[in-house]
Amino acid sequence: MTDNPWFYPDKVSAAAGDAVTLFASAPASPCSLTVSRIGAEVKQVAKFENITIDHHDIPDDADVNGCGWPEAFSFEVGADWSTGYYDLTLAGPDGTKSQHFFCVRNDDGATKVKAALILSTNTYAAYNYWGGRNSYADVAALMAGTVTPDESRAGAIGRLSRMRPYPQTMFAPPADPPRLINYEPRDVGEMPIPGSLEWMQKYQPTPYDGSACFLKKWEHVFARWTEEQGYEIDYLTDHDFEVNPDALNGYETAMVVGHSEYWSVSQRFAVEHFIQQGGHFISFSGNTCYWKVRWEDDGQTMIAHKWAGEDNDPLWANPSTRKDATHLWSHPEFEAPEARFLGLSFLYGGYHRIAMCAARGSAAFTIYNDEHWALEDTDLYYGDVIGGDVPLIGYENDGCPIQFGEDGLPKPGGGLGVPENLEIIAMTPATLAESDRSPFPKVIPLEDREILTRVTFGKDTPDNRGKLMRGHAVMASFRCGKGEVFNAGTTEWVHGLRARNPFIEKITHNVLSRFGLSIEKHGE
């Protein structure tokens, strides 16, 4: 870890004219910094040479309290730097390097386009284990083999500093990283292994490297596709709502992509208000707005106690501050389940085609409501199955309780916050964990079963635990206040775009068109 030049910026996002300051440590100097926008193409916008950076120790508590390194370099965001994701690469004199990021947002109301993509930077922060630990586990101890997987999960932290670098296998994965999915259905008696065993043996990733960050992952795929197609989209981040709750002012549509798992109060209610007042919201994501977090220390520390919120969050004990504590957004104490504005929740969905979770699943959506506006001109009909060749359904998926109406179509069957006017378009089975009957080591254990069952169903009983295991990935839409929501219900939606699946592309075009986006130029 100490052989590379390491660094972190003071900002998650910036606008034209803003200064971005880097804090860094390097074993040797001079260093160089390259700034590049990553979209359909990699466009270098600046390079700074001969930066002198001293070596500084890594504090033992860097994961919780940050590195505390001194300022090393600053630069100004250019007026001609387009909104988007920007890669920062710091290289030492021997060629060793590390990468970080920031987002350029558009603060010029006169030039804003109709839609903004909100980068899932809270999820990046939750998975970041640089310094040893993240919100899931003591990752360093797990990879060193000094603890069991269960012991490593007990070492998760609820305070996560933003002021530190990122582990590079997670942040800028080498080669072509595999997806979090079993690419083929499980064979008889076979233990299914997600991803690529060859890639894992070569690069030795942690179990948390594939679940967050931009490069070569969901948001990168979407950025490339939208730009190739000719859509114009501005970029924001989760963190922008901490500074400016009105970050969506001037936009007609907001969207999230891939794995937008961690939302703060500021972001959650800003987005919900935006929809209620007539905005459009698109979730090409799964496991969306699942965990409630907050930011402290002027936006430098994210608090995410997750399952342990009732016990470890200092705001929980006092009823007057409990509404600001951290836990599941669907926890009854908050009275704000995420399905209220998303239509769906991971509580009623789960995993598909990963490890032993629906390991022989179709990895596809089955079409039910073939007359829904999202399917216009798709050549899709009731009972058609789409996306199995991608595979489209995998990793994490959102859903709702299901019942069937007299018309033979699936309807929402209750559930925390699930709107009665939800229109279910397509679905496929998903589960929150691997079966206890599985003979193989658990890759996807059911975390904190008692809490999850109590939150979801009000009481922890064997019957309710069984219900947790029988969910669905759901594609749906609904009117929400004066606005409208489309929810693709899966982390993997954009891989249908990457595969140029004609059904997924056409549905995506239909959604973007209905919500005000038009193609400026046609991709080939």
Side-chain angles (χ1 to χ4, degrees):
M1 185 175 289
T2 56
D3 293 336
N4 290 352
W6 291 106
F7 72 107
Y8 50 95
D10 65 331
K11 295 177 175 64
V12 178
S13 76
D18 287 347
V20 177
T21 299
L22 306 185
F23 306 90
S25 172
S29 285
C31 297
S32 65
L33 175 71
T34 303
V35 185
S36 302
R37 185 186 185 278
I38 310 294
E41 300 175 345
V42 177
K43 180 182 179 182
Q44 181 177 311
V45 298
K47 187 168 185 178
F48 306 98
E49 305 274 9
N50 299 314
I51 303 171
T52 299
I53 300 175
D54 294 329
H55 169 74
H56 304 284
D57 291 336
I58 301 171
D60 291 339
D61 61 352
D63 42 16
V64 174
N65 293 318
C67 292
W69 294 336
E71 177 180 334
F73 184 72
S74 290
F75 63 89
E76 185 175 293
V77 176
D80 60 342
W81 294 12
S82 301
T83 178
Y85 176 97
Y86 280 73
D87 176 80
L88 302 172
T89 299
L90 185 67
D94 61 352
T96 57
K97 65 178 184 178
S98 70
Q99 294 169 247
H100 214 290
F101 84 102
F102 76 107
C103 171
V104 172
R105 65 181 187 272
N106 180 8
D107 282 355
D108 182 357
T111 63
K112 284 184 177 179
V113 296
K114 291 186 176 181
L117 171 64
I118 304 168
L119 297 178
S120 304
T121 52
N122 287 350
T123 303
Y124 303 1
Y127 279 90
N128 184 4
Y129 58 86
W130 199 93
R133 299 167 295 176
N134 63 11
S135 70
Y136 292 84
D138 185 338
V139 182
L142 176 66
M143 299 307 291
T146 58
V147 297
T148 66
D150 285 344
E151 289 169 339
S152 76
R153 284 189 285 270
I157 52 176
R159 293 181 59 88
L160 301 109
S161 178
R162 179 172 65 80
M163 309 303 284
R164 54 178 167 149
Y166 275 92
Q168 297 298 286
T169 309
M170 170 190 170
F171 187 81
D176 185 13
R179 292 165 53 195
L180 296 170
I181 191 170
N182 308 336
Y183 285 97
E184 300 293 337
R186 173 179 172 245
D187 204 352
V188 176
E190 177 187 46
M191 178 180 176
I193 298 176
S196 164
L197 186 59
E198 180 182 359
W199 191 90
M200 290 189 289
Q201 289 173 336
K202 183 174 183 179
Y203 296 109
Q204 299 295 307
T206 78
Y208 305 97
D209 287 328
S211 298
C213 293
F214 181 96
L215 294 174
K216 302 181 182 179
K217 295 173 185 168
W218 304 284
E219 293 166 339
H220 191 178
V221 172
F222 189 69
R224 184 185 295 119
W225 183 84
T226 52
E227 291 176 20
E228 288 174 348
Q229 293 295 309
Y231 290 107
E232 292 187 1
I233 296 173
D234 281 350
Y235 285 69
L236 295 169
T237 71
D238 293 339
H239 205 266
D240 286 315
F241 295 92
E242 308 310 310
V243 179
N244 177 20
D246 296 322
L248 289 176
N249 280 2
Y251 295 108
E252 296 180 13
T253 297
M255 62 186 85
V256 293
V257 169
H259 196 198
S260 184
E261 183 178 3
Y262 292 79
W263 287 44
S264 71
V265 167
S266 296
Q267 178 178 5
R268 160 65 195 273
F269 293 118
V271 171
E272 190 165 2
H273 177 75
F274 168 77
I275 301 167
Q276 288 284 341
Q277 295 305 306
H280 306 126
F281 187 75
I282 303 169
S283 178
F284 293 134
S285 169
N287 195 210
T288 307
C289 193
Y290 191 61
W291 292 112
K292 181 173 179 281
V293 302
R294 70 176 179 274
W295 285 90
E296 296 182 349
D297 305 327
D298 293 325
Q300 294 188 2
T301 305
M302 191 173 82
I303 310 300
H305 288 287
K306 299 176 67 176
W307 303 111
E310 295 172 339
D311 298 320
N312 292 351
D313 195 316
L315 301 187
W316 195 277
N318 188 336
S320 67
T321 59
R322 190 172 299 161
K323 63 180 176 57
D324 296 318
T326 62
H327 206 288
L328 290 164
W329 262 111
S330 281
H331 197 292
E333 288 288 342
F334 304 140
E335 299 181 326
E338 67 273 18
R340 189 173 76 189
F341 81 102
L342 291 170
L344 308 173
S345 171
F346 188 68
L347 293 175
Y348 306 111
Y351 302 94
H352 184 98
R353 275 279 287 274
I354 181 168
M356 283 290 285
C357 295
R360 296 190 182 100
S362 66
F365 269 132
T366 297
I367 300 298
Y368 283 85
N369 185 358
D370 59 332
E371 297 184 359
H372 189 275
W373 58 260
L375 305 189
E376 184 177 356
D377 296 328
T378 58
D379 192 32
L380 289 171
Y381 298 88
Y382 176 82
D384 283 352
V385 176
I386 60 169
D389 56 333
V390 173
L392 181 66
I393 309 300
Y395 191 38
E396 296 186 331
N397 309 274
D398 295 343
C400 63
I402 302 292
Q403 61 184 354
F404 280 84
E406 293 182 1
D407 58 2
L409 294 178
K411 315 289 184 184
L416 297 171
V418 176
E420 293 182 1
N421 65 333
L422 186 76
E423 297 181 65
I424 296 171
I425 306 166
M427 63 185 189
T428 198
T431 180
L432 281 177
E434 294 169 286
S435 170
D436 289 338
R437 294 189 293 110
S438 170
F440 306 115
K442 297 289 192 297
V443 176
I444 311 291
L446 184 58
E447 294 182 278
D448 291 88
R449 185 185 311 238
E450 182 274 330
I451 296 175
L452 190 57
T453 310
R454 173 166 48 84
V455 167
T456 308
F457 300 110
K459 188 176 182 180
D460 180 30
T461 67
D463 284 348
N464 285 339
R465 290 187 177 195
K467 291 179 187 178
L468 283 176
M469 303 291 284
R470 295 186 286 273
H472 292 84
V474 173
M475 184 200 312
S477 76
F478 73 109
R479 293 279 183 177
C480 181
K482 298 177 181 178
E484 190 170 12
V485 175
F486 175 86
N487 197 331
T490 179
T491 55
E492 306 306 289
W493 183 264
V494 296
H495 287 294
L497 304 178
R498 182 184 186 186
R500 305 308 295 262
N501 180 284
F503 303 115
I504 306 308
E505 285 199 301
K506 180 56 179 172
I507 294 170
T508 304
H509 284 306
N510 285 348
V511 173
L512 296 178
S513 176
R514 182 178 178 91
F515 288 176
L517 282 78
S518 59
I519 295 175
E520 300 299 324
K521 57 183 176 63
H522 289 276
E524 299 296 327

